[in-house]
Amino acid sequence: GAVVSQHPSWVICKSGTSVKIECRSLDFQATTMFWYRQFPKQSLMLMATSNEGSKATYEQGVEKDKFLINHASLTLSTLTVTSAHPEDSSFYICSAMGTSGSWAYEQYFGPGTRLTVT
Amino acid sequence: ILNVEQSPQSLHVQEGDSTNFTCSFPSSNFYALHWYRWETAKSPEALFVMTLNGDEKKKGRISATLNTKEGYSYLYIKGSQPEDSATYLCAERDNQGGKLIFGQGTELSVKP
């Protein structure tokens, strides 16, 4: 149980284009999903918290107009990197948290997406 | 301590060795301490969640302890096996909103 998928697992895009990353909870309903970013040799850093049906809460220093988050259903959240630039190249990983049963209050992670912007 | 810090950054041991890692975290606003095991190309896997000072958790050959007063947690692996090779992450959850603050991880390599 508690499987979270992420798609794509890696993507290469040209500078100036937009990229959408999907995060799905496969066997539980996730009222809250989190998006993290990890640069080489650094910690996973929280970018934003999204709750189903409401606007995401962004961490300080994360541009909400650049990193668009949509959490339209209890099993799907998407992160769109708009007008991507080489400095956005990073590893993006999501987690999903349920609020009932055995999934309550534990974050379950997807496998991550490696984004390279050329 | 202002950040979550893990040591060592990497560790190379022989099969059968026992090993341990350290996670240091700010003790103010503490709510919970999480340990994850992260193998390459896979999702981080939750190992333990600890909330109370003095907590000890065990899962097979892996165990963890928690000291919230001094702000540290230890993860122990007894009789390391090659399949234990992974990056071990700790993360503190605060009581201000529940977000996780991660350490940089300890990369463990177990040679057969």
Side-chain angles (χ1 to χ4, degrees):
Chain A
V3 177
V4 177
S5 70
Q6 207 170 320
H7 178 80
S9 56
W10 59 269
V11 57
I12 301 173
C13 71
K14 291 187 176 180
S15 186
T17 61
S18 296
V19 174
K20 181 186 283 188
I21 302 170
E22 292 186 348
C23 178
R24 294 181 185 271
S25 57
L26 299 184
D27 49 8
F28 67 102
Q29 293 186 328
T31 52
T32 303
M33 288 185 170
F34 303 85
W35 287 95
Y36 297 82
R37 179 169 54 182
Q38 185 184 39
F39 292 109
K41 304 295 183 185
Q42 295 188 21
S43 312
L44 291 176
M45 296 294 293
L46 182 66
M47 298 174 66
T49 302
S50 75
N51 291 293
E52 186 263 338
S54 61
K55 289 184 179 180
T57 303
Y58 290 82
E59 294 298 303
Q60 193 172 10
V62 178
E63 299 175 59
K64 62 180 181 180
D65 294 330
K66 181 169 187 61
F67 299 100
L68 301 179
I69 292 172
N70 184 283
H71 191 166
S73 78
L74 288 172
T75 59
L76 173 64
S77 176
T78 60
L79 168 68
T80 302
V81 183
T82 62
S83 188
H85 290 283
E87 57 266 28
D88 298 322
S89 297
S90 187
F91 185 77
Y92 293 86
I93 190 167
C94 70
S95 69
M97 184 170 73
T99 55
S100 64
S102 58
W103 300 285
Y105 308 115
E106 178 62 77
Q107 290 188 32
Y108 297 94
F109 285 83
T113 297
R114 172 75 59 192
L115 170 64
T116 302
V117 185
T118 60
Chain B
I1 300 170
L2 298 179
N3 297 312
V4 177
E5 298 174 357
Q6 290 185 247
S7 64
Q9 285 191 2
S10 64
L11 197 53
H12 300 268
V13 301
Q14 289 292 133
E15 181 176 357
D17 289 349
S18 292
T19 186
N20 64 84
F21 327 132
T22 304
C23 174
S24 302
F25 55 87
S27 52
S28 60
N29 300 324
F30 174 85
Y31 181 80
L33 193 286
H34 296 245
W35 280 100
Y36 292 88
R37 179 173 176 275
W38 194 5
E39 291 183 73
T40 303
K42 294 185 179 180
S43 304
E45 172 197 358
L47 288 175
F48 304 115
V49 181
M50 295 181 287
T51 57
L52 299 176
N53 184 46
D55 258 356
E56 291 188 26
K57 294 282 179 86
K58 188 175 181 183
K59 196 178 201 179
R61 294 179 291 100
I62 305 176
S63 60
T65 61
L66 178 67
N67 183 321
T68 60
K69 292 183 180 179
E70 296 182 35
Y72 65 83
S73 175
Y74 293 136
L75 186 79
Y76 302 91
I77 302 179
K78 184 179 178 182
S80 302
Q81 300 296 308
E83 57 265 31
D84 295 329
S85 298
T87 296
Y88 291 83
L89 300 174
C90 73
E92 181 191 16
R93 179 188 290 183
D94 67 19
N95 59 14
Q96 300 298 304
K99 67 182 183 182
L100 293 178
I101 307 297
F102 280 88
Q104 288 180 310
T106 293
E107 188 177 353
L108 173 67
S109 174
V110 182
K111 290 186 178 179

